[in-house]
Amino acid sequence: MNVHEWALVVFTICAQMSVGAFVVLGVIHWFAARRAGADEADRLADRALLAIGPTLVLGMAASLLHLGNPFNGYLAVANLGSSWLSREIVSGVVFAGAGAVFAFLQWRKQASARVRNVVGLVAAAIGLALVFSMAQVYLLRTVPVWNTVATPLMFFVTTFLLGSLAIGAAFVASYRHLQRRNSGNLDTQAALLRGSLRWIAIVSIVLLGVEFVVLPMRVAYLAAGPAPASQSAAMFVGQFGLVLVLRLALVFAGAGILGVFVYQNASSTGRERVMGNLTYVAFALVLIGEVLGRFLFYATYVRVGI
């Protein structure tokens, strides 16, 4: 793979993780506010919110490396009515803008909570549209390995798997910051952290199951097809077989094995440090595994015809 394709790996992973983190954060904040009040929910979530923007900006900056001339990037939006690539770019920019507006309002506590919630819902919807547009870009008849239902399905699995674990890691970092400062009601924050990580662990295990069902079905479907579909399948198990095994092992260890341990430790009080360390490691392993999975997505590219 050349630098242009690695730029796409960084862009798609960062953008999808940002969308998933934004959506998951909104859902957790909603439940936390009803359990412990808006102030405690904000104390849990606000620092995590500020990490989403830089991740998305990093991905969008990397995407410019895919262009032959980054200064001509504005030309890519010229066919908004007919091009999924144009829709991807526009939805990415609009999501970044809407997310920034929401982050400003939420951090500064500007406008009413209802107005902030509306802005957040709009930003989340645009983010999901971004992931959908990303998937549509790759549904090309001339590239059989991409042109299956597995592409949009796995893009959304990555979105919510990485997004959930990223938010879990951000919550742990925020809680430890509050501990160092001895700030706020630490007992309430610990309870919210444990409850959030329990659900994040469950979501991660479920999404892991989806990945382990879809991937072999995808390879089997390609192997049964004509060339170049069968060529891509052969690359999965041959040329890139070790990468595939490593990718599956990392995701299984992070979302599966460590997910179970996170859930167990989050079910007991006084285990916040162990639970937090497990969450960090789980996120790191899954992130590496998803990057390897996206590498395989581009590396197994075989085009029909010339």
Side-chain angles (χ1 to χ4, degrees):
M1 283 175 58
N2 58 39
V3 67
H4 295 273
E5 290 165 326
W6 276 112
L8 290 176
V9 171
V10 175
F11 166 61
T12 56
I13 289 289
C14 287
Q16 289 165 19
M17 180 167 58
S18 298
V19 172
F22 191 88
V23 174
V24 170
L25 183 62
V27 172
I28 292 177
H29 183 275
W30 190 86
F31 282 104
R34 276 143 189 80
R35 178 179 177 181
D39 289 343
E40 292 297 334
D42 289 348
R43 193 168 287 115
L44 171 74
D46 281 357
R47 287 184 183 83
L49 176 64
L50 294 181
I52 296 174
T55 303
L56 178 61
V57 170
L58 172 63
M60 296 180 71
S63 70
L64 295 177
L65 297 176
H66 181 64
L67 301 174
N69 183 354
F71 295 103
N72 291 331
Y74 69 93
L75 296 175
V77 303
N79 299 311
L80 185 61
S82 59
S83 169
W84 281 109
L85 178 60
S86 295
R87 294 167 189 162
E88 175 193 73
I89 295 171
V90 171
S91 57
V93 172
V94 176
F95 172 62
V101 171
F102 174 78
F104 175 81
L105 295 176
Q106 178 67 19
W107 188 257
R108 299 295 297 272
K109 298 300 179 285
Q110 299 292 314
S112 65
R114 178 172 296 181
V115 170
R116 296 199 300 270
N117 287 339
V118 169
V119 175
L121 286 171
V122 170
I126 296 169
L128 294 174
L130 167 61
V131 178
F132 181 78
S133 298
M134 280 180 165
Q136 294 299 312
V137 167
Y138 293 100
L139 295 182
L140 304 172
R141 294 181 181 179
T142 54
V143 187
V145 70
W146 294 347
N147 192 36
T148 71
V149 69
T151 294
L153 184 58
M154 296 309 293
F155 272 25
F156 276 102
V157 167
T158 297
T159 295
F160 290 108
L161 180 57
L162 279 180
S164 297
L165 289 171
I167 287 300
F171 282 171
V172 171
S174 178
Y175 175 74
R176 290 181 175 178
H177 174 77
L178 293 175
Q179 276 188 313
R180 288 193 296 270
R181 295 183 58 185
N182 195 25
S183 174
N185 189 333
L186 291 177
D187 289 339
T188 299
Q189 286 296 305
L192 290 176
L193 176 64
R194 290 194 301 271
S196 299
L197 291 183
R198 279 199 300 271
W199 280 107
I200 286 172
I202 292 172
V203 169
S204 299
I205 293 169
V206 170
L207 292 175
L208 172 68
V210 174
E211 282 205 351
F212 273 68
V213 169
V214 172
L215 182 58
M217 291 179 64
R218 179 190 187 192
V219 174
Y221 171 78
L222 293 170
S230 59
Q231 290 177 286
S232 293
M235 293 169 73
F236 270 112
V237 298
Q239 181 180 355
F240 299 112
L242 289 178
V243 178
L244 178 62
V245 170
L246 180 58
R247 178 255 198 280
L248 293 175
L250 288 171
V251 175
F252 181 76
I257 297 174
L258 291 183
V260 171
F261 285 123
V262 168
Y263 182 88
Q264 290 176 340
N265 281 275
S267 299
S268 305
T269 59
R271 304 285 295 173
E272 286 78 18
R273 177 167 292 278
V274 174
M275 175 184 67
N277 291 338
L278 288 171
T279 301
Y280 283 150
V281 176
F283 170 60
L285 292 178
V286 172
L287 177 59
I288 296 170
E290 290 299 313
V291 169
L292 291 178
R294 197 55 48 86
F295 163 82
L296 290 171
F297 180 79
Y298 292 106
T300 55
Y301 166 97
V302 179
R303 183 182 179 89
V304 174
I306 299 175

